[in-house]
Amino acid sequence: MIKNADVVIIGGGVQGNSIAYNLAKRGQKNIVILERNTCASGSSGRCAAGVRQQFGTEMNCILARESVRILEQLSEELDYDIELNQKGYLILAYTEKELAQFKKNVQLQQSLGIASKLITPEEAKEIVPLINIKDVLAATYCPTDGNANPLLTTFAYAEAARRLGVKLYRFTEAQKIESEHNQVTAVLTNQGRISTNTVVNAAGEYAKEVGEIAGVEIPVYSQRHQILVTEPIEPLWDPMLMSFSRNFYFQQLPNGTIVGGYGDPKNEIIGHNLRATWQFSKVMAKKMIQLVPALKNVHMVRQWAGSYIMSPDSQPILGEHPQLNGYYMSVGFSGHGYMLAPVSGKMLAQCILEQEIELPIEKLDIGRFERGELILEPSVV
Amino acid sequence: MDDNTIICRCEDVTWGEIRKQLDKGYTTLDEIKRITRAGMGPCQGKTCQRILLRAIARYLNKKVEDIPISTFRPPAKPIPLGTLAGEKDD
């Protein structure tokens, strides 16, 4: 194993690989990624593939908008088809409170140049004729939202990074991060010690633990979320169908399968238990059939679970730790890590290289929680 | 086995596509599954997982039992959403 590195990235998911690629592309040499298993074995490879810009805070909207701009040319840039499929997100409002929030969201999104709009239930049914619009008060729709393949995106970044000289160590676990006088000095792994002044925590569901091994407390927790996928069927509709109050999201992917899930923050397990439950598939099947009755004879072929890594305001923590020089974080994406990875990787690379950062990510520093400057994201499933 | 031999019939993945990933250094069943989708179709690898394991083992000059298998994910066989939801089948 290598003995010295300029940058050690912990985590070979989509975040770690995007950061590595973006650093190498900007000329950084001697970058190492440590992955305890294989690339995309954690949340990146378990996510639902959705990419949306319809958020409720300015920060998340800006990050998502920029991420979509990058995704639109990413297959070409990385010379690897990431299967971007911009078929939109249709988000349904069932309550007056939700409708009021959606009006605010759309106003905010439009002011930021996002192509979302508020539509009537009848207009929603024109977009997806198969949906049951009973109790739907309105919907928001953004045609440039959609999905891409999170597995292939991770490998696309990994291979592009490798071509630029980044070294990936699979089955290599970071066990301790050493520091002297509040400056990172080394990473101890199960394969040996690497001296370095710069470490990036991109450990996804293990972000908190990768804080602890450096003596840093990161206010995030991992919570199980479950997903199911059906057999491939003929194309039935285009956009992601989503509701916050009824709590579901599901979409048909380009290969014909339908993938979806719901969040259960009150009951779902906090920690690293990723076993799927039959209760989930039963409830999810009901939600899907209620909205799209035509799905009742479609077969579920698989279900699985992954983690959302929740931060106190459901927005990521990006940047250097204020008390530990050389310790950077790209964690706590609260369910949106895949869709934001193209932009967060770029912003963090600019931050590490002390280049001008294009977006106001200094507001996403870990210090915001102590300062009480949380901006709560209202639109999370 | 030549490059055109189909390993995963559900997802239509050939040995050539799998060998290409092995050549790149993706030596685990999970990595090959994530990239090629082999084993992710309706049969969930019931047909191809053993064939794929043998092929990986032969490529790596290892024993089949030394190649880690993928996590088993429910259900054991496909179930209609209507049945899951507790509705009667048509």
Side-chain angles (χ1 to χ4, degrees):
Chain A
M1 175 179 242
I2 197 169
K3 297 274 182 261
N4 295 283
D6 290 337
V7 182
V8 175
I9 297 165
I10 299 171
V14 72
Q15 292 295 334
N17 281 295
S18 172
I19 294 161
Y21 167 75
N22 277 290
L23 281 168
K25 183 184 160 187
R26 285 163 180 76
Q28 177 64 51
K29 306 281 185 229
N30 209 6
I31 303 164
V32 168
I33 300 175
L34 306 179
E35 166 52 54
R36 70 201 291 268
N37 192 330
T38 51
C39 286
S41 53
S43 298
S44 301
R46 297 163 185 273
C47 82
V51 175
R52 71 168 151 121
Q53 302 159 90
Q54 298 182 73
F55 282 97
T57 66
E58 183 173 354
M59 177 61 79
N60 273 343
C61 284
I62 292 174
L63 289 174
R65 180 193 70 199
E66 290 309 306
S67 212
V68 167
R69 285 184 187 160
I70 298 171
L71 281 166
E72 283 170 344
Q73 49 78 49
L74 197 62
S75 292
E76 197 182 338
E77 179 177 340
L78 302 179
D79 193 22
Y80 199 126
D81 183 6
I82 60 155
E83 299 177 352
L84 176 64
N85 181 43
Q86 287 173 290
K87 295 284 176 68
Y89 260 56
L90 184 64
I91 309 181
L92 305 163
Y94 288 93
T95 68
E96 289 296 339
K97 190 179 159 216
E98 201 168 24
L99 179 55
Q101 181 67 49
F102 282 16
K103 284 179 181 164
K104 278 191 228 163
N105 287 1
V106 167
Q107 203 171 26
L108 171 71
Q109 290 153 10
Q110 289 180 348
S111 76
L112 297 168
I114 294 167
S116 61
K117 59 184 178 184
L118 192 68
I119 60 175
T120 64
E122 292 70 30
E123 288 169 322
K125 201 165 169 67
E126 273 171 40
I127 297 168
V128 185
L130 289 173
I131 60 169
N132 166 12
I133 53 170
K134 184 173 178 293
D135 301 334
V136 174
L137 299 180
T140 66
Y141 176 65
C142 177
T144 53
D145 291 349
N147 54 71
N149 186 319
L151 301 162
L152 298 185
T153 308
T154 306
F155 289 108
Y157 272 123
E159 291 188 16
R162 181 164 62 183
R163 289 194 295 272
L164 294 168
V166 173
K167 288 188 189 69
L168 167 71
Y169 290 96
R170 293 141 81 228
F171 305 110
T172 304
E173 186 176 288
Q175 294 175 331
K176 179 139 187 61
I177 295 166
E178 295 179 342
S179 56
E180 277 170 34
H181 310 296
N182 302 322
Q183 165 64 52
V184 167
T185 54
V187 181
L188 295 183
T189 81
N190 58 341
Q191 310 286 336
R193 183 177 191 275
I194 307 174
S195 295
T196 186
N197 289 322
T198 306
V199 164
V200 181
N201 177 351
E205 65 171 296
Y206 291 96
K208 193 175 186 65
E209 287 85 343
V210 171
E212 285 163 3
I213 61 170
V216 164
E217 198 188 325
I218 304 177
V220 295
Y221 62 91
S222 297
Q223 184 162 39
R224 182 172 71 182
H225 274 245
Q226 302 193 50
I227 296 183
L228 64 77
V229 60
T230 70
E231 62 189 321
I233 53 172
E234 73 277 14
L236 291 183
W237 77 88
D238 284 337
M240 171 76 94
L241 302 171
M242 189 174 198
S243 162
F244 301 113
S245 59
R246 295 267 170 117
N247 190 10
F248 61 76
Y249 61 87
F250 58 99
Q251 66 188 327
Q252 189 167 25
L253 295 177
N255 64 14
T257 61
I258 297 163
V259 172
Y262 64 88
D264 192 4
K266 287 203 183 76
N267 300 306
E268 267 292 12
I269 290 173
I270 291 173
H272 301 301
N273 176 341
L274 293 179
R275 247 179 309 202
T277 65
W278 65 269
Q279 290 93 334
F280 162 80
S281 56
K282 213 172 153 63
V283 173
M284 188 63 204
K286 271 188 198 154
K287 290 174 187 266
M288 291 169 80
I289 294 172
Q290 192 165 46
L291 186 65
V292 184
L295 293 179
K296 72 175 177 187
N297 294 320
V298 176
H299 292 74
M300 169 178 92
V301 298
R302 181 170 72 249
Q303 60 171 125
W304 70 93
S307 288
Y308 272 28
I309 301 86
M310 299 303 300
S311 77
D313 59 3
S314 302
Q315 299 191 89
I317 300 170
L318 277 180
E320 192 174 16
H321 195 279
Q323 277 95 46
L324 183 55
N325 294 328
Y327 186 89
Y328 292 83
M329 289 158 285
S330 181
V331 303
F333 284 80
S334 309
H336 311 122
Y338 168 60
M339 64 177 83
L340 297 179
V343 70
S344 56
K346 186 176 168 186
M347 295 307 112
L348 202 69
Q350 289 173 345
C351 172
I352 292 168
L353 298 173
E354 297 180 356
Q355 294 176 345
E356 194 182 329
I357 303 171
E358 287 165 38
L359 300 174
I361 64 153
E362 67 279 358
K363 291 181 190 157
L364 293 174
D365 72 329
I366 195 167
R368 73 181 184 271
F369 306 114
E370 261 179 33
R371 295 194 305 271
E373 291 172 6
L374 283 72
I375 315 164
L376 288 167
E377 169 59 65
S379 301
V380 179
V381 174
Chain B
M1 194 160 57
D2 69 34
D3 276 2
N4 296 319
T5 306
I6 292 184
I7 301 278
C8 169
R9 285 187 285 180
C10 298
E11 295 284 342
D12 202 18
V13 185
T14 64
W15 166 242
E17 289 165 64
I18 287 161
R19 193 181 46 75
K20 195 174 125 192
Q21 301 311 325
L22 286 161
D23 287 345
K24 281 187 183 176
Y26 298 116
T27 51
T28 65
L29 190 65
D30 277 342
E31 286 165 305
I32 288 168
K33 180 175 160 184
R34 285 179 208 133
I35 297 168
T36 68
R37 295 194 57 80
M40 288 170 96
C43 96
Q44 290 295 293
K46 283 195 195 65
T47 320
C48 65
Q49 179 152 319
R50 291 166 67 97
I51 303 170
L52 190 50
L53 278 172
R54 274 204 302 275
I56 295 173
R58 194 176 323 132
Y59 180 96
L60 297 173
N61 249 327
K62 283 185 172 175
K63 289 183 189 157
V64 177
E65 53 268 35
D66 293 336
I67 310 296
I69 58 167
S70 293
T71 311
F72 166 75
R73 301 199 192 283
K77 66 177 196 183
I79 311 175
L81 293 175
T83 307
L84 267 172
E87 292 182 5
K88 293 233 163 63
D89 287 342
D90 282 348

